[in-house]
PDB file of all heavy atoms in Angstrom:
ATOM      1  N   SER A  28     122.970  62.867 106.812  1.00  0.00           N
ATOM      2  CA  SER A  28     122.055  64.002 106.707  1.00  0.00           C
ATOM      3  C   SER A  28     120.557  63.635 106.864  1.00  0.00           C
ATOM      4  O   SER A  28     119.759  64.335 107.580  1.00  0.00           O
ATOM      5  CB  SER A  28     122.265  64.789 105.377  1.00  0.00           C
ATOM      6  OG  SER A  28     121.455  65.882 105.224  1.00  0.00           O
ATOM      7  N   MET A  29     120.259  62.573 106.222  1.00  0.00           N
ATOM      8  CA  MET A  29     118.828  62.115 106.280  1.00  0.00           C
ATOM      9  C   MET A  29     118.481  61.637 107.618  1.00  0.00           C
ATOM     10  O   MET A  29     117.450  61.970 108.118  1.00  0.00           O
ATOM     11  CB  MET A  29     118.596  60.893 105.196  1.00  0.00           C
ATOM     12  CG  MET A  29     117.207  60.527 105.146  1.00  0.00           C
ATOM     13  SD  MET A  29     116.930  59.084 104.057  1.00  0.00           S
ATOM     14  CE  MET A  29     117.302  59.811 102.447  1.00  0.00           C
ATOM     15  N   LEU A  36     112.308  65.308 112.888  1.00  0.00           N
ATOM     16  CA  LEU A  36     111.020  65.396 112.280  1.00  0.00           C
ATOM     17  C   LEU A  36     109.892  65.361 113.278  1.00  0.00           C
ATOM     18  O   LEU A  36     108.938  66.202 113.137  1.00  0.00           O
ATOM     19  CB  LEU A  36     110.863  64.361 111.185  1.00  0.00           C
ATOM     20  CG  LEU A  36     109.712  64.493 110.279  1.00  0.00           C
ATOM     21  CD1 LEU A  36     109.757  65.868 109.566  1.00  0.00           C
ATOM     22  CD2 LEU A  36     109.799  63.408 109.244  1.00  0.00           C
ATOM     23  N   PRO A  37     109.869  64.568 114.261  1.00  0.00           N
ATOM     24  CA  PRO A  37     108.736  64.545 115.161  1.00  0.00           C
ATOM     25  C   PRO A  37     108.553  65.781 115.894  1.00  0.00           C
ATOM     26  O   PRO A  37     107.436  66.318 116.013  1.00  0.00           O
ATOM     27  CB  PRO A  37     109.053  63.300 116.146  1.00  0.00           C
ATOM     28  CG  PRO A  37     109.878  62.380 115.377  1.00  0.00           C
ATOM     29  CD  PRO A  37     110.755  63.295 114.482  1.00  0.00           C
ATOM     30  N   THR A  44     101.969  71.760 114.546  1.00  0.00           N
ATOM     31  CA  THR A  44     100.607  71.490 114.933  1.00  0.00           C
ATOM     32  C   THR A  44     100.262  72.205 116.327  1.00  0.00           C
ATOM     33  O   THR A  44      99.100  72.478 116.541  1.00  0.00           O
ATOM     34  CB  THR A  44     100.247  70.006 114.962  1.00  0.00           C
ATOM     35  OG1 THR A  44     101.203  69.338 115.903  1.00  0.00           O
ATOM     36  CG2 THR A  44     100.348  69.313 113.676  1.00  0.00           C
ATOM     37  N   ASP A  45     101.217  72.343 117.103  1.00  0.00           N
ATOM     38  CA  ASP A  45     101.023  73.035 118.484  1.00  0.00           C
ATOM     39  C   ASP A  45     100.839  74.559 118.186  1.00  0.00           C
ATOM     40  O   ASP A  45     100.506  75.159 119.204  1.00  0.00           O
ATOM     41  CB  ASP A  45     102.102  72.699 119.447  1.00  0.00           C
ATOM     42  CG  ASP A  45     102.034  71.247 119.875  1.00  0.00           C
ATOM     43  OD1 ASP A  45     101.065  70.555 119.712  1.00  0.00           O
ATOM     44  OD2 ASP A  45     103.058  70.771 120.489  1.00  0.00           O
ATOM     45  N   GLY A  47      98.822  76.234 116.823  1.00  0.00           N
ATOM     46  CA  GLY A  47      97.492  76.643 117.007  1.00  0.00           C
ATOM     47  C   GLY A  47      97.027  77.490 115.743  1.00  0.00           C
ATOM     48  O   GLY A  47      95.909  77.248 115.283  1.00  0.00           O
ATOM     49  N   ASP A  51      97.729  84.662 108.817  1.00  0.00           N
ATOM     50  CA  ASP A  51      97.523  84.741 107.494  1.00  0.00           C
ATOM     51  C   ASP A  51      98.800  84.357 106.668  1.00  0.00           C
ATOM     52  O   ASP A  51      98.957  84.805 105.499  1.00  0.00           O
ATOM     53  CB  ASP A  51      96.953  86.148 106.962  1.00  0.00           C
ATOM     54  CG  ASP A  51      98.116  87.286 107.202  1.00  0.00           C
ATOM     55  OD1 ASP A  51      99.121  87.036 107.786  1.00  0.00           O
ATOM     56  OD2 ASP A  51      97.832  88.270 106.555  1.00  0.00           O
ATOM     57  N   LEU A  54     100.362  79.253 103.197  1.00  0.00           N
ATOM     58  CA  LEU A  54     100.619  77.822 103.473  1.00  0.00           C
ATOM     59  C   LEU A  54      99.953  76.930 102.460  1.00  0.00           C
ATOM     60  O   LEU A  54      98.766  77.074 102.317  1.00  0.00           O
ATOM     61  CB  LEU A  54     100.099  77.506 104.830  1.00  0.00           C
ATOM     62  CG  LEU A  54     100.135  76.039 105.334  1.00  0.00           C
ATOM     63  CD1 LEU A  54     101.647  75.591 105.487  1.00  0.00           C
ATOM     64  CD2 LEU A  54      99.327  75.804 106.640  1.00  0.00           C
ATOM     65  N   SER A  58      99.852  66.623  99.680  1.00  0.00           N
ATOM     66  CA  SER A  58      99.771  65.281 100.092  1.00  0.00           C
ATOM     67  C   SER A  58      99.938  64.343  98.903  1.00  0.00           C
ATOM     68  O   SER A  58      99.405  64.763  97.758  1.00  0.00           O
ATOM     69  CB  SER A  58      98.372  64.979 100.674  1.00  0.00           C
ATOM     70  OG  SER A  58      98.103  65.817 101.825  1.00  0.00           O
ATOM     71  N   GLN A  64      92.362  58.120 103.528  1.00  0.00           N
ATOM     72  CA  GLN A  64      91.486  59.273 103.634  1.00  0.00           C
ATOM     73  C   GLN A  64      91.720  59.901 105.036  1.00  0.00           C
ATOM     74  O   GLN A  64      91.659  61.207 105.175  1.00  0.00           O
ATOM     75  CB  GLN A  64      89.941  58.920 103.581  1.00  0.00           C
ATOM     76  CG  GLN A  64      89.032  59.935 103.612  1.00  0.00           C
ATOM     77  CD  GLN A  64      89.304  60.989 102.450  1.00  0.00           C
ATOM     78  OE1 GLN A  64      89.343  60.550 101.287  1.00  0.00           O
ATOM     79  NE2 GLN A  64      89.396  62.248 102.723  1.00  0.00           N
ATOM     80  N   LEU A  67      94.804  62.156 104.674  1.00  0.00           N
ATOM     81  CA  LEU A  67      94.395  63.341 103.792  1.00  0.00           C
ATOM     82  C   LEU A  67      93.578  64.346 104.740  1.00  0.00           C
ATOM     83  O   LEU A  67      93.863  65.574 104.669  1.00  0.00           O
ATOM     84  CB  LEU A  67      93.666  62.948 102.571  1.00  0.00           C
ATOM     85  CG  LEU A  67      94.357  62.206 101.560  1.00  0.00           C
ATOM     86  CD1 LEU A  67      93.431  61.566 100.439  1.00  0.00           C
ATOM     87  CD2 LEU A  67      95.473  62.980 100.963  1.00  0.00           C
ATOM     88  N   HIS A  70      96.019  66.242 106.851  1.00  0.00           N
ATOM     89  CA  HIS A  70      96.757  67.216 106.154  1.00  0.00           C
ATOM     90  C   HIS A  70      95.784  68.493 105.802  1.00  0.00           C
ATOM     91  O   HIS A  70      96.336  69.595 105.836  1.00  0.00           O
ATOM     92  CB  HIS A  70      97.243  66.626 104.798  1.00  0.00           C
ATOM     93  CG  HIS A  70      98.406  65.648 105.041  1.00  0.00           C
ATOM     94  ND1 HIS A  70      99.154  65.119 104.086  1.00  0.00           N
ATOM     95  CD2 HIS A  70      98.825  65.070 106.218  1.00  0.00           C
ATOM     96  CE1 HIS A  70     100.028  64.217 104.560  1.00  0.00           C
ATOM     97  NE2 HIS A  70      99.914  64.318 105.801  1.00  0.00           N
ATOM     98  N   GLU A  72      93.452  69.483 107.671  1.00  0.00           N
ATOM     99  CA  GLU A  72      93.406  70.304 108.914  1.00  0.00           C
ATOM    100  C   GLU A  72      94.571  71.125 109.160  1.00  0.00           C
ATOM    101  O   GLU A  72      94.550  72.195 109.558  1.00  0.00           O
ATOM    102  CB  GLU A  72      93.170  69.286 110.068  1.00  0.00           C
ATOM    103  CG  GLU A  72      91.766  68.780 110.300  1.00  0.00           C
ATOM    104  CD  GLU A  72      90.755  69.983 110.569  1.00  0.00           C
ATOM    105  OE1 GLU A  72      91.041  70.865 111.384  1.00  0.00           O
ATOM    106  OE2 GLU A  72      89.860  69.999 109.835  1.00  0.00           O
ATOM    107  N   ARG A  75      94.508  74.306 107.583  1.00  0.00           N
ATOM    108  CA  ARG A  75      93.626  75.280 108.144  1.00  0.00           C
ATOM    109  C   ARG A  75      94.303  76.023 109.250  1.00  0.00           C
ATOM    110  O   ARG A  75      93.598  76.900 109.899  1.00  0.00           O
ATOM    111  CB  ARG A  75      92.371  74.570 108.635  1.00  0.00           C
ATOM    112  CG  ARG A  75      91.513  74.057 107.527  1.00  0.00           C
ATOM    113  CD  ARG A  75      90.280  73.425 107.983  1.00  0.00           C
ATOM    114  NE  ARG A  75      89.382  72.955 106.797  1.00  0.00           N
ATOM    115  CZ  ARG A  75      88.850  71.777 106.773  1.00  0.00           C
ATOM    116  NH1 ARG A  75      89.021  70.919 107.690  1.00  0.00           N
ATOM    117  NH2 ARG A  75      88.259  71.352 105.629  1.00  0.00           N
ATOM    118  N   ARG A  79      95.079  81.589 105.037  1.00  0.00           N
ATOM    119  CA  ARG A  79      95.470  81.504 103.632  1.00  0.00           C
ATOM    120  C   ARG A  79      95.900  80.143 103.287  1.00  0.00           C
ATOM    121  O   ARG A  79      96.597  79.923 102.264  1.00  0.00           O
ATOM    122  CB  ARG A  79      96.494  82.602 103.263  1.00  0.00           C
ATOM    123  CG  ARG A  79      95.888  83.993 103.473  1.00  0.00           C
ATOM    124  CD  ARG A  79      96.809  85.083 103.399  1.00  0.00           C
ATOM    125  NE  ARG A  79      97.787  85.059 102.211  1.00  0.00           N
ATOM    126  CZ  ARG A  79      98.716  85.855 102.028  1.00  0.00           C
ATOM    127  NH1 ARG A  79      99.061  86.755 102.936  1.00  0.00           N
ATOM    128  NH2 ARG A  79      99.548  85.849 100.997  1.00  0.00           N
ATOM    129  N   LYS A  81      95.977  76.148 102.106  1.00  0.00           N
ATOM    130  CA  LYS A  81      95.388  75.452 100.965  1.00  0.00           C
ATOM    131  C   LYS A  81      95.917  73.954 101.040  1.00  0.00           C
ATOM    132  O   LYS A  81      97.090  73.796 101.369  1.00  0.00           O
ATOM    133  CB  LYS A  81      95.820  76.131  99.677  1.00  0.00           C
ATOM    134  CG  LYS A  81      95.345  75.398  98.388  1.00  0.00           C
ATOM    135  CD  LYS A  81      95.803  76.229  97.297  1.00  0.00           C
ATOM    136  CE  LYS A  81      95.414  75.607  95.945  1.00  0.00           C
ATOM    137  NZ  LYS A  81      95.873  76.412  94.786  1.00  0.00           N
ATOM    138  N   ALA A  87     100.209  62.300  91.195  1.00  0.00           N
ATOM    139  CA  ALA A  87     101.291  61.217  90.907  1.00  0.00           C
ATOM    140  C   ALA A  87     102.161  61.127  92.123  1.00  0.00           C
ATOM    141  O   ALA A  87     103.219  60.462  92.058  1.00  0.00           O
ATOM    142  CB  ALA A  87     102.092  61.764  89.672  1.00  0.00           C
ATOM    143  N   HIS A  90     105.275  58.832  98.572  1.00  0.00           N
ATOM    144  CA  HIS A  90     105.921  59.223  99.809  1.00  0.00           C
ATOM    145  C   HIS A  90     106.853  60.443  99.558  1.00  0.00           C
ATOM    146  O   HIS A  90     106.872  61.446 100.333  1.00  0.00           O
ATOM    147  CB  HIS A  90     106.694  58.187 100.503  1.00  0.00           C
ATOM    148  CG  HIS A  90     107.259  58.501 101.830  1.00  0.00           C
ATOM    149  ND1 HIS A  90     106.473  58.729 102.903  1.00  0.00           N
ATOM    150  CD2 HIS A  90     108.601  58.869 102.151  1.00  0.00           C
ATOM    151  CE1 HIS A  90     107.269  59.081 103.949  1.00  0.00           C
ATOM    152  NE2 HIS A  90     108.463  59.168 103.461  1.00  0.00           N
ATOM    153  N   TRP A  91     107.594  60.372  98.484  1.00  0.00           N
ATOM    154  CA  TRP A  91     108.508  61.516  98.191  1.00  0.00           C
ATOM    155  C   TRP A  91     107.823  62.412  97.056  1.00  0.00           C
ATOM    156  O   TRP A  91     108.270  62.387  95.926  1.00  0.00           O
ATOM    157  CB  TRP A  91     109.844  60.984  97.709  1.00  0.00           C
ATOM    158  CG  TRP A  91     110.572  60.168  98.796  1.00  0.00           C
ATOM    159  CD1 TRP A  91     110.587  58.862  98.964  1.00  0.00           C
ATOM    160  CD2 TRP A  91     111.284  60.842  99.982  1.00  0.00           C
ATOM    161  NE1 TRP A  91     111.301  58.504 100.061  1.00  0.00           N
ATOM    162  CE2 TRP A  91     111.764  59.675 100.661  1.00  0.00           C
ATOM    163  CE3 TRP A  91     111.558  62.091 100.239  1.00  0.00           C
ATOM    164  CZ2 TRP A  91     112.478  59.896 101.803  1.00  0.00           C
ATOM    165  CZ3 TRP A  91     112.331  62.293 101.427  1.00  0.00           C
ATOM    166  CH2 TRP A  91     112.800  61.185 102.143  1.00  0.00           C
ATOM    167  N   ASP A  95     108.143  62.386  93.033  1.00  0.00           N
ATOM    168  CA  ASP A  95     107.116  61.725  92.177  1.00  0.00           C
ATOM    169  C   ASP A  95     106.236  62.709  91.397  1.00  0.00           C
ATOM    170  O   ASP A  95     105.747  62.343  90.281  1.00  0.00           O
ATOM    171  CB  ASP A  95     106.237  60.932  93.152  1.00  0.00           C
ATOM    172  CG  ASP A  95     106.875  59.941  93.886  1.00  0.00           C
ATOM    173  OD1 ASP A  95     107.950  59.430  93.461  1.00  0.00           O
ATOM    174  OD2 ASP A  95     106.446  59.510  95.053  1.00  0.00           O
ATOM    175  N   VAL A 100     104.736  70.475  93.127  1.00  0.00           N
ATOM    176  CA  VAL A 100     105.565  71.185  94.135  1.00  0.00           C
ATOM    177  C   VAL A 100     106.008  72.476  93.557  1.00  0.00           C
ATOM    178  O   VAL A 100     105.873  73.641  94.161  1.00  0.00           O
ATOM    179  CB  VAL A 100     106.791  70.365  94.483  1.00  0.00           C
ATOM    180  CG1 VAL A 100     107.685  71.209  95.389  1.00  0.00           C
ATOM    181  CG2 VAL A 100     106.333  69.053  95.106  1.00  0.00           C
ATOM    182  N   ALA A 109     104.275  84.241  94.629  1.00  0.00           N
ATOM    183  CA  ALA A 109     103.452  85.253  93.956  1.00  0.00           C
ATOM    184  C   ALA A 109     102.595  86.047  94.940  1.00  0.00           C
ATOM    185  O   ALA A 109     101.989  87.095  94.604  1.00  0.00           O
ATOM    186  CB  ALA A 109     102.656  84.641  92.827  1.00  0.00           C
ATOM    187  N   LEU A 110     102.336  85.486  96.140  1.00  0.00           N
ATOM    188  CA  LEU A 110     101.380  86.127  97.075  1.00  0.00           C
ATOM    189  C   LEU A 110     102.016  87.300  97.752  1.00  0.00           C
ATOM    190  O   LEU A 110     103.016  87.678  97.894  1.00  0.00           O
ATOM    191  CB  LEU A 110     101.013  85.188  98.186  1.00  0.00           C
ATOM    192  CG  LEU A 110     100.205  83.984  97.714  1.00  0.00           C
ATOM    193  CD1 LEU A 110      99.960  83.000  98.836  1.00  0.00           C
ATOM    194  CD2 LEU A 110      98.831  84.436  97.198  1.00  0.00           C
TER     195      LEU A 110
END
Side-chain angles (χ1 to χ4, degrees):
S28 177
M29 186 181 295
L36 194 56
T44 56
D45 290 347
D51 69 346
L54 172 67
S58 303
Q64 188 59 51
L67 290 171
H70 289 189
E72 279 300 311
R75 293 184 181 131
R79 294 167 53 184
K81 178 179 178 181
H90 183 73
W91 296 101
D95 299 332
V100 176
L110 294 175

